[in-house]
Amino acid sequence: LALPATAILPRLARAASPWAPVTPPRLESLLSVADFEAAARAVLPPAHFAFLATGVDDDRTVGWNHEAYSQLEINVRRFADVSRTDLRVTMFGTHWPTPVYLSAVGSQRAFHPEAELATARAAASRSALMMLSSAGSTGPEDVMAARGAPVWQQIYPTDDLEVTRAIIERAERAGASAIALTVDNHHPRFNETLARAIPNDPRICTDCHVNNSHDFVRKAPLYQGIDVSHVQELTQPSAITWHFLDRVRGFVKGKLLVKGIM
């Protein structure tokens, strides 16, 4: 099976032991989105880069994703005027200039000191939809102020349903136009590239973020000011039933999306 070169980047990264410094490429030399992965590898600490580059179970999911997207082709039509193209899309009554959006990525301060605020300003500059992770480094109020418009709030439900209700209410008070409930969260899972990178990173991870769901809700900004003393873990997929979804639907005043259906 022939895969694009970018499909094996995580494998190449994990093969580099120790993680030797790499000279960052010049910005003007980056010609595609995939080129930014090599640039990130050069400037990010090993574990932080691996958090972005890793897949699941021997990184097979990374290769599968690249292979699946490589099957998509543009349907070329001749004798058609394409001097003007229209990528606009309407979703849930909101008009967007393109169908591209910024999905939820947690702990963004690990990659940039301004974290989700910088991402929100980038989204605002292109009028793009943004989804904020419940593991974000910044609270929803500040993110939506930086975006200048509502964002979607992704949530990991916990085993304390009152905490789930409280974070939904906080996000909606801040102006979230939709709540995206993640239903495929599962711990533990094996992220091989990340597991190989952590021993090569001399920093203490817990100095800036947490690595388990028990402590996650005690430090993530979305959960600040909420009583999380009874939380033991994030809700596992086996507990997310139709009844559970119905309870969450009762908490959400606006739109509820389900994220992670396969």
Side-chain angles (χ1 to χ4, degrees):
L1 178 63
L3 295 178
T6 51
I8 59 173
L9 274 175
R11 287 176 171 78
L12 294 176
R14 76 183 184 207
S17 182
W19 291 62
V22 179
T23 302
R26 299 190 313 276
L27 184 62
E28 60 270 18
S29 71
L30 305 181
L31 302 180
S32 69
V33 172
D35 288 345
F36 281 87
E37 186 166 8
R41 166 71 178 85
V43 300
L44 290 175
H48 285 179
F49 169 77
F51 175 77
L52 293 177
T54 196
V56 177
D57 294 336
D58 196 32
D59 287 337
R60 285 179 294 173
T61 52
V62 176
W64 289 339
N65 283 338
H66 281 283
E67 173 62 17
Y69 278 105
S70 72
Q71 300 302 315
L72 300 179
E73 298 181 358
I74 295 175
N75 186 14
V76 179
R77 298 183 183 276
R78 304 304 182 190
F79 306 104
D81 182 3
V82 292
S83 59
R84 291 188 178 184
T85 57
D86 187 356
L87 297 178
R88 290 177 296 179
V89 61
T90 299
M91 184 166 52
F92 304 138
T94 301
H95 305 287
W96 304 99
T98 77
V100 177
Y101 88 109
L102 299 176
S103 196
V105 176
S107 304
Q108 291 190 25
R109 189 162 286 117
F111 313 106
H112 192 279
E114 295 183 65
E116 290 82 7
L117 298 182
T119 306
R121 289 195 294 270
S125 72
R126 296 294 185 269
S127 298
L129 171 62
M130 175 181 176
M131 183 190 295
L132 176 63
S133 170
S134 64
S137 307
T138 315
E141 298 85 359
D142 292 336
V143 170
M144 276 179 257
R147 173 62 182 85
V151 306
W152 290 359
Q153 176 69 63
Q154 176 267 340
I155 66 167
Y156 291 115
T158 73
D159 56 359
D160 184 342
L161 202 58
E162 283 303 301
V163 171
T164 301
R165 178 190 58 77
I167 61 173
I168 289 172
E169 290 180 352
R170 178 183 176 187
E172 291 192 322
R173 283 196 305 270
S177 57
I179 301 296
L181 173 69
T182 293
V183 298
D184 64 342
N185 183 56
H186 183 68
H187 293 282
R189 66 185 183 189
F190 186 49
N191 302 106
E192 185 173 341
T193 291
L194 179 58
R196 291 179 183 273
I198 289 175
N200 292 282
D201 199 322
R203 299 163 309 140
I204 300 174
C205 290
T206 52
D207 282 351
C208 62
H209 56 81
V210 295
N211 294 329
N212 61 75
S213 58
H214 185 268
D215 290 332
F216 158 71
V217 297
R218 288 160 175 77
K219 293 188 177 181
L222 178 63
Y223 298 85
Q224 298 305 303
I226 296 171
D227 181 8
V228 296
S229 60
H230 299 293
V231 173
Q232 295 300 315
E233 63 178 358
L234 300 181
T235 303
Q236 296 301 296
S238 59
I240 300 180
T241 62
W242 288 112
H243 175 69
F244 180 88
L245 182 61
D246 190 55
R247 295 288 301 275
V248 173
R249 172 70 271 182
F251 298 150
V252 179
K253 293 183 176 63
K255 296 177 176 63
L256 173 63
L257 294 83
V258 180
K259 179 178 177 291
I261 295 178
M262 301 177 65

